[in-house]
């Protein structure tokens, strides 16, 4: 065997193979030698991947529609457990309103972990197709975004409408649309985090653990359990990079900014007079 290995570099067959490789390489066009990089080919590949992604959604309902059902079920539970919490807010039930807003911002994003199996499945296919020069990573990312964002937007509208209507949240003109927009951005960022984790980890179990750790850390410092100024300086950076921080803060501003909180002598401490919702945000 070793004799054959030593003989191969100087053999006529090897010389013929090298000449064919060189001839083929010099005859390729620029589009073929740099697959997925030229605008025309990248655009075509993006379109093909987008269509394939939508077909996958249609043919495999478990990819997104099972998640859709899970979110709707959670929204109905939130709406019925906290039914009417946002109607005629008084000092004594501020914590109920802030609690449900925390739950929406935290666990709606946390449930994006359910998208990881689909990301890991696509990752396996993408690695092989990219190695064969079919398209580049940027092209795949754009196509994945075009498939995912419409579903996330639809999910935000349906789930947000259920929560907003059942909870009787701030009915000031335009607040409902801001609520939906904030929920959409929150879910979109959560999907992006899951995509990033899926690209790094090799196995599903490792990905679940890593994503749960990241989301758990973000929820812990988002400002509901502990104020930002009271967080240990060594962990305050996590408060700043947590997307839960901004999601929760936006929900609180949408709900309390401009509202009047009713008096409640049974509150702790008692509140004999009505006050502006801005004081809640300052606290």
């Amino acid at each position: 065997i070793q004799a054959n290995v030593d003989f191969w570099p100087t053999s006529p067959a090897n010389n013929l193979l090298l000449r064919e490789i060189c001839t083929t390489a010099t005859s390729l066009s620029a589009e073929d030698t740099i697959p997925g990089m030229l605008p025309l080919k990248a655009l075509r590949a993006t379109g093909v991947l987008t269509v394939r992604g939508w077909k996958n959604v249609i043919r495999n309902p478990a990819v997104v529609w099972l998640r859709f059902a899970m979110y709707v079920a959670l929204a109905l539970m939130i709406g019925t457990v906290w039914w009417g919490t946002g109607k005629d807010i008084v000092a004594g039930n501020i914590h109920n309103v802030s609690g449900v807003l925390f739950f929406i911002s935290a666990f709606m994003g946390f449930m994006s972990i359910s998208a990881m199996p689909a990301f890991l499945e696509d990752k396996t296919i993408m690695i092989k197709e990219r190695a064969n020069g079919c398209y580049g990573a940027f092209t795949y990312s754009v196509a994945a975004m075009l498939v995912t964002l419409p579903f996330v937007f639809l999910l935000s509208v349906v789930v947000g409408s259920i929560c907003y209507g059942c909870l009787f949240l701030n009915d000031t003109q335009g607040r409902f649309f801001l609520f939906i927009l904030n929920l959409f951005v929150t879910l979109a960022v959560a999907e992006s985090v899951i995509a990033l984790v899926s690209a790094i980890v090799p196995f599903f179990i490792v990905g679940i653990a890593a994503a749960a750790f990241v989301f758990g850390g973000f929820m812990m410092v988002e400002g509901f359990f502990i104020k930002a100024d009271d967080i240990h300086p060594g962990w305050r950076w996590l408060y700043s990079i947590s997307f839960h921080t901004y999601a929760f803060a936006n929900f609180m501003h949408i709900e309390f900014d401009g509202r009047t909180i009713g008096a409640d002598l049974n509150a702790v401490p008692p509140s004999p007079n009505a006050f502006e919702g801005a004081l809640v945000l300052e606290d």
Side-chain angles (χ1 to χ4, degrees), residues 130-210:
R130 181 178 179 273
N132 289 325
C134 298
Y135 50 80
F138 178 78
T139 300
Y140 170 80
S141 300
V142 172
M145 181 184 67
L146 294 176
V147 174
T148 303
L149 287 185
F151 165 74
V152 173
F153 179 74
L154 177 63
L155 185 65
S156 303
V157 171
V158 174
V159 170
S161 299
I162 294 174
C163 292
Y164 207 89
C166 293
L167 300 176
F168 294 91
L169 297 178
N170 195 337
D171 59 357
T172 304
Q173 185 177 7
R175 296 299 176 94
F176 168 73
F177 299 103
L178 291 176
F179 184 91
I180 297 297
L181 177 62
N182 188 46
L183 182 59
F184 168 66
V185 173
T186 301
L187 294 181
V189 175
E191 292 271 334
S192 301
V193 173
I194 294 300
L196 176 61
V197 173
S198 300
I200 297 174
V201 301
F203 307 112
F204 174 67
I205 297 300
V206 178
I208 290 290

Side-chain angles (χ1 to χ4, degrees), residues 29-70:
S29 64
E31 181 179 349
D32 293 325
T33 56
I34 314 178
M37 299 303 292
L38 293 182
L40 183 60
K41 186 168 184 179
L43 184 62
R44 187 185 304 118
T46 302
V48 171
L49 290 173
T50 303
V51 172
R52 187 176 72 179
W54 277 107
K55 287 182 178 179
N56 189 36
V57 170
I58 296 172
R59 295 172 180 173
N60 187 6
V63 173
V64 294
W65 300 116
L66 181 59
R67 293 179 54 214
F68 193 93
M70 291 169 53

Side-chain angles (χ1 to χ4, degrees), residues 1-281:
I1 295 176
Q2 186 61 42
N4 291 333
V5 172
D6 295 337
F7 175 73
W8 171 254
T10 59
S11 66
N14 179 54
N15 295 332
L16 178 61
L17 178 61
L18 291 176
R19 285 197 299 270
E20 290 180 354
I21 292 175
C22 294
T23 303
T24 303
T26 54
S27 64
L28 291 175
S29 64
E31 181 179 349
D32 293 325
T33 56
I34 314 178
M37 299 303 292
L38 293 182
L40 183 60
K41 186 168 184 179
L43 184 62
R44 187 185 304 118
T46 302
V48 171
L49 290 173
T50 303
V51 172
R52 187 176 72 179
W54 277 107
K55 287 182 178 179
N56 189 36
V57 170
I58 296 172
R59 295 172 180 173
N60 187 6
V63 173
V64 294
W65 300 116
L66 181 59
R67 293 179 54 214
F68 193 93
M70 291 169 53
Y71 274 94
V72 170
L74 180 63
L76 290 173
M77 289 187 63
I78 292 173
T80 50
V81 170
W82 278 279
W83 180 271
T85 298
K87 185 178 182 180
D88 301 325
I89 301 177
V90 296
N93 69 347
I94 290 176
H95 65 282
N96 291 335
V97 180
S98 60
V100 70
L101 294 178
F102 160 77
F103 192 90
I104 292 173
S105 64
F107 285 91
M108 286 295 180
F110 189 89
M111 285 180 62
S112 295
I113 291 179
S114 60
M116 185 169 291
F119 279 116
L120 289 175
E121 182 181 351
D122 287 346
K123 172 186 172 182
T124 303
I125 300 173
M126 181 266 182
I127 291 174
K128 295 178 180 178
E129 293 180 339
R130 181 178 179 273
N132 289 325
C134 298
Y135 50 80
F138 178 78
T139 300
Y140 170 80
S141 300
V142 172
M145 181 184 67
L146 294 176
V147 174
T148 303
L149 287 185
F151 165 74
V152 173
F153 179 74
L154 177 63
L155 185 65
S156 303
V157 171
V158 174
V159 170
S161 299
I162 294 174
C163 292
Y164 207 89
C166 293
L167 300 176
F168 294 91
L169 297 178
N170 195 337
D171 59 357
T172 304
Q173 185 177 7
R175 296 299 176 94
F176 168 73
F177 299 103
L178 291 176
F179 184 91
I180 297 297
L181 177 62
N182 188 46
L183 182 59
F184 168 66
V185 173
T186 301
L187 294 181
V189 175
E191 292 271 334
S192 301
V193 173
I194 294 300
L196 176 61
V197 173
S198 300
I200 297 174
V201 301
F203 307 112
F204 174 67
I205 297 300
V206 178
I208 290 290
F213 176 79
V214 171
F215 283 159
F218 285 172
M219 289 187 289
M220 186 165 43
V221 298
E222 72 177 75
F224 179 76
F225 298 110
I226 183 173
K227 296 180 181 179
D229 294 337
D230 296 332
I231 299 175
H232 188 279
W235 286 106
R236 205 165 292 166
W237 60 272
L238 189 60
Y239 170 87
S240 300
I241 69 171
S242 168
F243 70 90
H244 290 84
T245 298
Y246 307 100
F248 179 60
N250 286 335
F251 280 134
M252 291 290 288
H253 275 274
I254 292 169
E255 180 59 26
F256 288 103
D257 187 35
R259 291 198 70 168
T260 299
I261 309 301
D264 186 3
L265 295 177
N266 295 321
V268 181
S271 178
N273 301 311
F275 55 93
E276 294 297 322
L279 294 177
V280 178
L281 300 177

